Amino acid sequence: MRLRSHLLRWLLVPLIALWAIGFRVQYARTLALANEAYDRTLLGSALAMAEQVSVQDGRLGVDVPDAALEMLESRAQDRIFYRVGCLDPPVAVTGYDDLPAPPSASGPGDGQPVFFDARYRGEPVRIVALRRPLYDPHLCGQLLIQVAETLGARQALSRRVLLDAGALQLALVAMAALLITLGVHRGLLPLKRIRDEIRARGQADLTPIRLGSVPREVVPLIEAINLHTNRQRRLNEAHRQFIADASHQLKTPLTVLKAQAAQALAQQDVQAMRDIVQEIHDSTDTTSRMVHQLLALARSDPAATTAQEPVELVELARTVCFDLLTPALARGIELGFDGHAPVTVPGQPLLLRELVANLVDNAIRYTPAGGQVAVAVRRDDTGHACIEVLDDGPGIAPAERETVFERFYRLHGSGADGCGLGLAIVRQIAERHGARVTLGDPPHGHGLLASVRFPG
Ligand SMILES: Nc1ncnc2c1ncn2[C@@H]1O[C@H](COP(=O)(O)OP(=O)(O)OP(=O)(O)O)[C@@H](O)[C@H]1O
Ligand SMILES: [Mg+2]
């Protein structure tokens, strides 16, 4: 759809329709005014004729005066008919006997002329009818004087007035069309500038579009596009970062694995080979954990958008705890869960599982054997959904509580397994859900309290 033709259609079609209606109304009005003016002259000649009716020797006589018809003379293109006669019985004295009589319902009152339209000799005519009393009981009581004229002059006048005005109005409509086209063209120039600017860009250029002098109505559109490209840029940046991180992080364990495999192959002694294969097995575990974490990090990218659905957190966290029960028991950790009333938030269940799993995994991993880990899901005093993971391990010093969220950051003495991505994943997933993650001290004793607070 072209904006120009759309605007023109919406502005010009109604304008032309209005002009046509106005033209029609004006025609009727002009005709009425012309009738009024011409009727007066028509009446004048009827009155002049009425003056000339006389009774001589008991007979009615009319001396149709030249003056009566002269009044109408100037309208050379029109034809004049008249009739003077008795009203009752309807007998003509002079003139055209078959001139149409006035409509009976509105027959001429005493002295009051009646104007009406009729057809005479195949032509439309305007007639004035005048009634005059005649005080001669032998002849007739009332005289009827009628003068008719064809409509040529009236129509010619209204047509001329109309054509003048109509042509002027039409010229105005044409001017309006021209101005609208020019206005739209000028209004669209900034958009063309933006189009050229974007076309000329390099493939990877995702910088925001300059607003410049775009019309104010278009600003929200440009802003939305800029928001979109900004998201795209962050997504690209995240992908680039991910590939850089992944290749860097995977290089070391793969080199180690390769070296271990070469070492195993070089062994003659089966037991020595088995020991190295066991090391390969452990390294594979670490590497696969890293691959898992890297993929989780990529999936939880806040710039990526996927549909949200209602997620029941109590059930979700319970399942995660159940899955992690075996590693917890293996490490001699007691894992407890507290969650009763359902707590539902909008979100992505797979990501929220990843979030809870990372927090619980940390608690189990960094709490020494014999320790306790408690997971609780509830709504807090202000009605916000909350997930809390509490442990009685070494905790994290307040100064480190922010840095541990950085990618690949690990505290000294955290052990070999683990790649430092868990809390970064937790934060990303929380951000995507508008939630806030905080690390704090547990209410009693030592350890760590990790809590995630959702907006709703
Ligand atoms: N509950 C905890 N108690 C004590 N230290 C913790 C706890 N949770 C995390 N940490 C510290 O924060 C660091 C970062 O944790 P994070 O989960 O991001 O990485 P990670 O556990 O080392 O690796 P992974 O990516 O496999 O989870 C950990 O190395 C650990 O030193
Ligand atoms: Mg971790």
Side-chain angles (χ1 to χ4, degrees):
M1 178 199 62
R2 290 190 61 146
L3 191 59
R4 187 178 308 155
S5 44
H6 183 74
L7 270 176
L8 278 178
R9 208 175 313 137
W10 273 95
L11 290 172
L12 276 186
V13 171
L15 209 60
I16 290 172
L18 285 176
W19 169 79
I21 294 169
F23 193 79
R24 187 76 197 86
V25 171
Q26 205 180 344
Y27 180 73
R29 284 178 58 87
T30 317
L31 200 59
L33 285 174
N35 268 343
E36 216 174 272
Y38 281 82
D39 281 356
R40 228 171 283 144
T41 332
L42 201 61
L43 176 64
S45 36
L47 285 170
M49 219 172 268
E51 295 290 308
Q52 299 305 319
V53 179
S54 57
V55 182
Q56 278 176 354
D57 308 330
R59 284 177 58 118
L60 258 177
V62 185
D63 178 19
V64 176
D66 285 348
L69 298 176
E70 260 169 23
M71 287 187 194
L72 304 167
E73 223 170 37
S74 59
R75 311 173 200 172
Q77 68 269 55
D78 281 322
R79 301 206 291 138
I80 313 293
F81 310 100
Y82 63 90
R83 177 186 184 277
V84 179
C86 280
L87 189 67
D88 193 19
V91 181
V93 176
T94 179
Y96 298 81
D97 192 17
D98 55 347
L99 206 59
S104 54
S106 57
D110 213 5
Q112 289 301 310
V114 166
F115 296 94
F116 61 99
D117 296 308
R119 284 193 81 77
Y120 185 62
R121 299 197 173 175
E123 271 188 272
V125 286
R126 180 86 172 154
I127 307 179
V128 63
L130 201 62
R131 202 164 67 163
R132 280 282 179 267
L134 187 72
Y135 302 105
D136 192 329
H138 302 294
L139 294 168
C140 58
Q142 302 244 343
L143 268 182
L144 181 68
I145 301 124
Q146 284 171 275
V147 185
E149 72 171 334
T150 51
L151 303 181
R154 296 161 190 251
Q155 285 172 345
L157 177 67
S158 4
R159 221 173 289 137
R160 216 176 62 227
V161 172
L162 260 183
L163 282 181
D164 280 0
L168 187 70
Q169 287 163 357
L170 209 57
L172 284 177
V173 171
M175 280 291 280
L178 196 71
L179 287 176
I180 292 169
T181 315
L182 272 175
V184 173
H185 177 73
R186 276 186 66 86
L188 290 179
L189 278 182
L191 295 186
K192 287 198 179 119
R193 193 256 305 153
I194 289 175
R195 180 198 62 190
D196 295 342
E197 200 181 297
I198 294 176
R199 270 189 189 162
R201 278 183 177 196
Q203 253 180 354
D205 187 356
L206 285 174
T207 46
I209 302 166
R210 280 184 310 115
L211 283 178
S213 57
V214 292
R216 213 179 304 156
E217 291 78 0
V218 183
V219 170
L221 177 70
I222 307 276
E223 281 174 349
I225 294 173
N226 280 346
L227 197 75
H228 178 70
T229 43
N230 194 32
R231 235 181 259 151
Q232 203 62 41
R233 197 173 55 234
R234 280 173 52 204
L235 204 60
N236 284 0
E237 177 57 29
H239 286 164
R240 204 191 54 73
Q241 183 71 42
F242 171 75
I243 291 167
D245 287 350
S247 47
H248 181 256
Q249 292 301 316
L250 289 175
K251 218 181 279 169
T252 317
L254 285 177
T255 315
V256 171
L257 271 175
K258 196 176 172 195
Q260 285 172 326
Q263 207 186 349
L265 285 173
Q267 299 301 317
Q268 301 299 327
D269 177 29
V270 174
Q271 189 50 48
M273 191 186 277
R274 282 185 68 91
D275 290 346
I276 299 170
V277 171
Q278 182 59 50
E279 281 173 28
I280 293 177
H281 182 265
D282 295 347
S283 301
T284 318
D285 268 355
T286 317
T287 315
S288 92
R289 163 88 184 156
M290 179 173 287
V291 170
H292 172 91
Q293 291 292 73
L294 280 170
L295 291 178
L297 190 70
R299 269 198 307 271
S300 63
D301 191 320
T305 45
T306 26
Q308 296 208 327
E309 57 185 271
V311 183
E312 208 285 284
L313 294 178
V314 173
E315 195 44 45
L316 181 137
R318 199 199 308 273
T319 319
V320 172
C321 288
F322 189 76
D323 292 347
L324 290 174
L325 208 52
T326 314
L329 289 176
R331 291 188 52 87
I333 306 284
E334 192 186 312
L335 178 59
F337 180 77
D338 180 26
H340 305 286
V343 176
T344 306
V345 294
Q348 287 144 340
L350 281 180
L351 294 184
L352 289 171
R353 270 184 73 89
E354 199 68 52
L355 177 149
V356 179
N358 266 291
L359 290 179
V360 180
D361 176 77
N362 277 355
I364 295 171
R365 201 184 287 257
Y366 303 113
T367 303
Q372 288 189 335
V373 172
V375 179
V377 179
R378 59 190 169 79
R379 289 207 176 265
D380 67 7
D381 306 339
T382 49
H384 292 280
C386 246
I387 302 172
E388 287 179 342
V389 181
L390 180 76
D391 67 60
D392 58 359
I396 299 175
E400 299 272 25
R401 283 179 192 163
E402 191 51 41
T403 20
V404 283
F405 283 102
E406 285 172 16
R407 291 171 175 202
F408 305 109
Y409 187 86
R410 306 195 72 222
L411 294 182
H412 287 299
S414 298
D417 35 350
C419 43
L421 285 177
L423 288 175
I425 294 167
V426 168
R427 177 165 275 183
Q428 271 195 187
I429 296 175
E431 273 175 13
R432 266 182 82 148
H433 289 81
R436 231 179 95 76
V437 195
T438 45
L439 299 178
D441 296 315
H444 312 290
H446 58 89
L448 187 75
L449 172 64
S451 44
V452 184
R453 197 158 171 267
F454 289 84

